[in-house]
Amino acid sequence: MSPSFHIAIDGPVAAGKGTVSRLVANRLGFVYIDTGAMYRTAALLAQRRGVSLDELERVTELVKQARIDVRQPRDDEQDGRLSTVTLDDEDVSWQIRTLEIGTASSQVGEMKPVRAELVRKQQQIAVDKNVIMEGRDITYRVLPDADVKIYLTASEVVRAKRRHQQLLAKGIDTSFDEVYQQLMDRDQRDTSRAADPLQIVDEAWVVDTTDLTIDQVVTIITSRVQAMIDQHRHHA
Ligand code: DC
């Protein structure tokens, strides 16, 4: 087995990638990396600086100069977050979780030079580490040699319901229809953009979570990965 084990997960909006990845990472002792958080932080940065998302070069420059980091929450940061995300050392973990930033991050995801910058960062983080990394281009662009490639999905209505519940729980007042429409628009943009669109690679293991509980999904994935690790050890 290579010194590090990489699990790559791609999937549409609100498929449960974050929740599942965090729990699988905890069970296996892996590092969890939320790449969507980086695109969201880039969008927040542009918004704060008053830079329009039509201005590709200016947004790219902002992202190049900023320090965007994603890490495991510390003991004093356990407030339900799955990751701690910092922008120039400021904790923006919750500020990036709004519908507005969701839409803006999808627009940032269309920008090729921004992608190049963030992909490089993500690849650096994964070097020599056991990671579970999730996003839209992980299985074929960021970690094309990943040991396990998963496409995590669920029906549109179930995904919209889950995301609506998440937002309400955070005190963000929004209607189901608004969440559903935003989810459809974002999926449409993420799958049809020219630069590295979301896609199901040939070798992907497609996990449909529509009728599964979180615990069932986590167990299915953890068992398969553990079996692979054990097999590698056995043959080593
Ligand atoms: O996973 P998320 O919903 O937090 O991602 C926010 C947006 O960022 C998503 O709509 C598209 C973009 N993104 C991307 O283009 N590539 C990734 N690897 C992760 C996210």
Side-chain angles (χ1 to χ4, degrees):
M1 189 169 78
S2 57
S4 53
F5 196 98
H6 289 169
I7 305 171
I9 303 186
D10 286 327
V13 174
K17 302 187 297 292
T19 306
V20 166
S21 298
R22 163 51 64 211
L23 292 168
V24 171
N26 290 353
R27 282 205 203 168
L28 293 171
F30 278 33
V31 175
Y32 160 50
I33 299 145
D34 172 1
T35 63
M38 297 183 183
Y39 291 88
R40 286 171 179 269
T41 305
L44 178 72
L45 176 61
Q47 187 195 58
R48 282 182 174 180
R49 300 289 172 84
V51 174
S52 153
L53 297 181
D54 296 328
E55 296 188 74
L56 176 65
E57 279 169 25
R58 287 188 67 198
V59 176
T60 307
E61 209 39 52
L62 283 180
V63 171
K64 278 190 176 161
Q65 284 168 11
R67 255 180 308 120
I68 298 174
D69 290 304
V70 181
R71 59 173 164 81
Q72 173 140 4
R74 292 191 309 245
D75 285 348
D76 61 339
E77 295 172 341
Q78 303 289 346
D79 56 4
R81 66 182 64 187
L82 301 173
S83 290
T84 290
V85 189
T86 58
L87 170 59
D88 295 327
D89 294 328
E90 176 195 347
D91 185 347
V92 295
S93 310
W94 290 113
Q95 289 171 51
I96 59 171
R97 301 288 162 198
T98 64
L99 276 182
E100 192 188 359
I101 292 294
T103 297
S105 63
S106 175
Q107 290 172 266
V108 169
E110 293 178 292
M111 301 175 174
K112 215 172 165 182
V114 172
R115 303 199 68 81
E117 193 64 23
L118 295 181
V119 167
R120 199 176 45 79
K121 223 178 159 62
Q122 292 153 12
Q123 289 173 331
Q124 275 170 2
I125 299 173
V127 172
D128 294 334
K129 281 195 205 82
N130 291 333
V131 302
I132 179 162
M133 191 182 279
E134 51 97 356
R136 304 291 189 289
D137 60 344
I138 313 304
T139 56
Y140 68 94
R141 174 66 62 211
V142 182
L143 302 175
D145 299 323
D147 301 86
V148 179
K149 298 181 178 186
I150 298 170
Y151 186 84
L152 198 73
T153 188
S155 76
E156 282 154 7
V157 170
V158 162
R159 289 190 286 118
K161 275 189 187 156
R162 289 178 187 163
R163 179 52 49 92
H164 188 215
Q165 284 305 319
Q166 271 177 355
L167 290 167
L168 291 181
K170 277 181 222 153
I172 298 176
D173 184 25
T174 170
S175 70
F176 174 81
D177 288 349
E178 193 184 354
V179 174
Y180 183 81
Q181 195 52 52
Q182 197 253 15
L183 178 142
M184 298 290 283
D185 292 347
R186 196 139 70 87
D187 279 351
Q188 173 62 28
R189 192 184 293 105
D190 294 346
T191 52
S192 63
R193 68 181 178 220
D196 289 350
L198 172 65
Q199 57 192 278
I200 309 178
V201 294
D202 286 345
E203 63 273 36
W205 172 26
V206 178
V207 178
D208 186 329
T209 72
T210 306
D211 299 315
L212 300 175
T213 63
I214 291 168
D215 193 56
Q216 284 172 321
V217 180
V218 171
T219 301
I220 291 170
I221 295 175
T222 309
S223 317
R224 183 182 284 205
V225 171
Q226 193 60 57
M228 286 178 72
I229 293 173
D230 292 346
Q231 199 180 22
H232 280 299
R233 280 218 189 96
H234 188 68
H235 290 294

